Amino acid sequence: MKLRIPKLLLICCLSLFLVPATSFANSEKRIESLDISLLKQGIPFEVIESWSPELKRSLLKEDGSIEVIAHEKANSDSNGEVGALGNIKDDQFDYYITVVRADNVDNRERFMVALTGKWKSMPVWRLSDAYGASFDKDIWRAVPGSAYYEDKVKYSGNSIFTTLGSGRNFSYTSESGVGFNADLKGGIIIKEQVAAAVFTIEHKKQGNQSGLSQI
């Protein structure tokens, strides 16, 4: 005797497999499109590849667009408004700051600030490094609850980054800046490590204001 499965049941079963696959494919396409937009706006590939999809999506405005205002690398020429400084040797560490326009809230300008630290060689016995950003406290303030950070490594023989941990809290806060702690992992099997974080700053005055004023 042959077992016959009703067509309706068969269609439902197929749908359970097809919908998640379609959703995943669409998500991948959106991330690829976001990567292309970031590249066109001057963000280096080595920075983009180190950011997780979650961090990238956090930079989007409500309409799904992304507008890069500034991107600077530590110890390079600054544009006068945004600058990155590092105290680890250039052959060991790259540090970047990226500023992206966010949607205004209560008629106040907001910007997302992304910080990216990349250790090209891991110093012996270093357990953590602090990194962060400062801003003019008379003009800007950090938005509470806007923090996101992640620690990622690239193992020897692997071409992609693996996420070690992430969270949504600041390690340090003050009226003029915020900071995070990178959880560094030593060992010969790790060839690169990246710590990245993003948070939002808000203009204290309402209305359209010009200039980022020394972030």
Side-chain angles (χ1 to χ4, degrees):
M1 180 177 178
K2 294 183 179 180
L3 180 62
R4 294 183 178 180
I5 302 175
K7 290 183 178 180
L8 179 61
L9 177 60
L10 180 60
I11 292 173
C12 291
C13 291
L14 287 174
S15 296
L16 291 175
F17 290 101
L18 291 176
V19 171
T22 302
S23 177
F24 177 79
N26 290 339
S27 178
E28 286 290 303
K29 288 182 179 179
R30 285 194 292 268
I31 293 300
E32 289 178 5
S33 177
L34 178 54
D35 289 349
I36 293 172
S37 178
L38 290 168
L39 277 170
K40 288 181 177 179
Q41 296 185 69
I43 308 302
F45 174 75
E46 64 178 14
V47 173
I48 297 172
E49 71 156 344
S50 70
W51 288 349
S52 70
E54 183 171 5
L55 190 148
K56 294 174 186 176
R57 284 192 290 265
S58 72
L59 301 176
L60 294 173
K61 299 173 72 174
E62 289 185 1
D63 63 3
S65 65
I66 184 167
E67 181 184 353
V68 176
I69 300 300
H71 176 80
E72 297 293 338
K73 182 179 180 181
N75 302 323
S76 62
D77 293 335
S78 169
N79 65 8
E81 292 183 334
V82 177
L85 298 174
N87 58 7
I88 302 176
K89 294 180 180 179
D90 289 349
D91 61 350
Q92 293 181 347
F93 182 73
D94 286 333
Y95 189 55
Y96 305 88
I97 181 169
T98 308
V99 180
V100 175
R101 185 178 296 278
D103 292 290
N104 291 1
V105 175
D106 294 330
N107 198 27
R108 287 186 171 87
E109 283 188 304
R110 284 189 171 189
F111 295 89
M112 303 290 291
V113 181
L115 310 172
T116 309
K118 183 176 182 180
W119 286 260
K120 294 180 286 187
S121 62
M122 304 304 295
V124 180
W125 304 119
R126 176 169 283 147
L127 300 179
S128 66
D129 268 331
Y131 65 101
S134 62
F135 44 80
D136 190 335
K137 66 179 181 179
D138 294 326
I139 299 176
W140 301 103
R141 61 186 169 211
V143 176
S146 65
Y148 172 77
Y149 70 87
E150 56 189 27
D151 293 303
K152 306 178 75 174
V153 297
K154 186 179 288 186
Y155 294 104
S156 298
N158 199 334
S159 61
I160 61 174
F161 283 98
T162 299
T163 301
L164 294 178
S166 62
R168 294 192 172 278
N169 58 288
F170 296 107
S171 298
Y172 314 97
T173 58
S174 71
E175 288 185 335
S176 58
V178 302
F180 303 86
N181 280 330
D183 182 15
L184 300 189
K185 303 295 182 183
I188 58 174
I189 63 172
I190 295 177
K191 63 178 181 179
E192 289 181 25
Q193 175 154 358
V194 169
V198 62
F199 67 98
T200 304
I201 57 172
E202 177 182 72
H203 208 290
K204 289 185 174 182
K205 293 182 179 180
Q206 291 183 317
N208 188 26
Q209 309 294 327
S210 61
L212 295 174
S213 297
Q214 297 296 326
I215 298 175

